[in-house]
Amino acid sequence: MNLATYQRMMVGIPRTIKNAAGFTWTSMKHGIGRSITIEAHTTPNVNSLKFHPGQPVFLNGTRDFPTSRAAASSPLAAAIFRIHGISNVFFGADFVTVTKTDSLPWENVKPAITDAITEFFTSGEPIVVDEGETYSEIDEDKSEVVMMIKEILDARIRPSVQDDGGDVALVSFDPDSGVVAVRLQGACASCSSSKATLKDMVENMLMHYIPEVKEVIAIENPEAAAAAAAKEAPGGKAAAGRGPGGGSYVTPAR
């Protein structure tokens, strides 16, 4: 064993291997038996990466943390948001999607994100400390059309979107106008191709299978919108702290 290998084992210096799928980061904490391998993969959103820790992350569906205030309900999300330049954290079944601000290079934040994930999964802490909120206004709606919308989203749309590091949450259906409202989460929330995803994938498929659906629209996350508006207001970050409360958002498992 050479000196560099020994230092990585005992101190936790990350090692990177670049490959076609993205990057594999190996971070070792406090010697043998405390290691975790994290793979980071690109998404269609250049500002979002999927981090795979090689173990389950969130098994009750998906969970979206659109602001640092929402992240207070998760030790891991809170730790990632403490890194400068992070704008969104999203949990899937076996991955964590992290979205950064547009101007910040990945090499400035990726090692810190990897360290935060490594430290969390070696800490034994719970992934979340509350049940979170749900986006949907129609959880109790058992109409045939709503059930069909949910079925198509779960079976044909959400798996593909989750592969890209995000999710689609059903918010509402208006039977009079035929309008379905959804929220895009994770990497999809700020992706430049999100409009294409909404129209080409979600709207076209729902309209094809369900004649009652006439249009699909995206509803912006209310807390993220309030935080963005507050930052643009006089006072900047100080004003953002006075925005509405709210937590992270859960989309149930398929």
Side-chain angles (χ1 to χ4, degrees):
M1 179 185 299
N2 59 33
L3 178 60
T5 301
Y6 177 80
Q7 287 176 330
R8 277 197 294 267
M9 291 179 63
M10 302 309 295
V11 181
I13 298 175
R15 175 167 54 90
T16 64
I17 303 172
K18 189 172 183 178
N19 54 40
F23 294 86
T24 298
W25 294 72
T26 301
S27 180
M28 304 190 72
K29 305 292 291 184
H30 307 300
I32 297 172
R34 300 280 292 177
S35 65
I36 179 172
T37 299
I38 298 172
E39 294 184 1
H41 297 271
T42 57
T43 74
N45 186 344
V46 296
N47 291 317
S48 298
L49 286 179
K50 285 178 69 179
F51 293 84
H52 293 261
Q55 55 190 290
V57 176
F58 190 73
L59 298 180
N60 296 324
T62 60
R63 188 145 176 177
D64 190 39
F65 302 89
T67 67
S68 58
R69 294 187 68 185
S73 60
S74 166
L76 175 56
I80 295 174
F81 261 107
R82 284 194 288 270
I83 301 167
H84 173 70
I86 301 304
S87 60
N88 184 276
V89 177
F90 177 83
F91 294 163
D94 60 354
F95 66 89
V96 178
T97 299
V98 180
T99 303
K100 65 174 182 63
T101 56
D102 187 57
S103 60
L104 195 66
W106 272 115
E107 55 264 28
N108 288 12
V109 294
K110 193 185 298 182
I113 295 170
T114 303
D115 285 346
I117 295 174
T118 299
E119 290 175 7
F120 170 78
F121 280 103
T122 57
S123 71
E125 291 186 272
I127 190 74
V128 293
V129 295
D130 66 20
E131 295 183 355
E133 304 175 28
T134 60
Y135 277 129
S136 183
E137 300 168 2
I138 55 175
D139 285 339
E140 303 304 320
D141 191 334
K142 303 299 183 182
S143 71
E144 182 179 357
V145 173
V146 168
M147 297 302 290
M148 290 176 63
I149 292 171
K150 290 181 177 180
E151 181 178 348
I152 291 173
L153 286 175
D154 289 348
R156 295 178 175 269
I157 296 173
R158 291 182 64 201
S160 296
V161 177
Q162 288 178 17
D163 283 344
D164 288 339
D167 205 352
V168 178
L170 176 62
V171 176
S172 64
F173 171 67
D174 184 346
D176 295 326
S177 64
V179 174
V180 175
V182 299
R183 284 197 177 98
L184 301 177
Q185 302 173 309
C188 299
S190 59
C191 183
S192 59
S193 61
S194 60
K195 289 184 178 179
T197 298
L198 186 70
K199 294 296 180 181
D200 296 343
M201 180 185 291
V202 183
E203 184 176 82
N204 286 350
M205 188 169 293
L206 289 179
M207 290 176 63
H208 175 76
Y209 287 102
I210 307 173
E212 291 85 351
V213 174
K214 306 302 181 184
E215 184 182 8
V216 177
I217 62 173
I219 302 296
E220 190 173 5
N221 181 291
E223 188 174 358
K231 287 182 180 180
E232 295 178 0
K237 292 183 178 180
R242 295 193 295 271
S248 55
Y249 295 91
V250 177
T251 302
R254 300 189 297 273

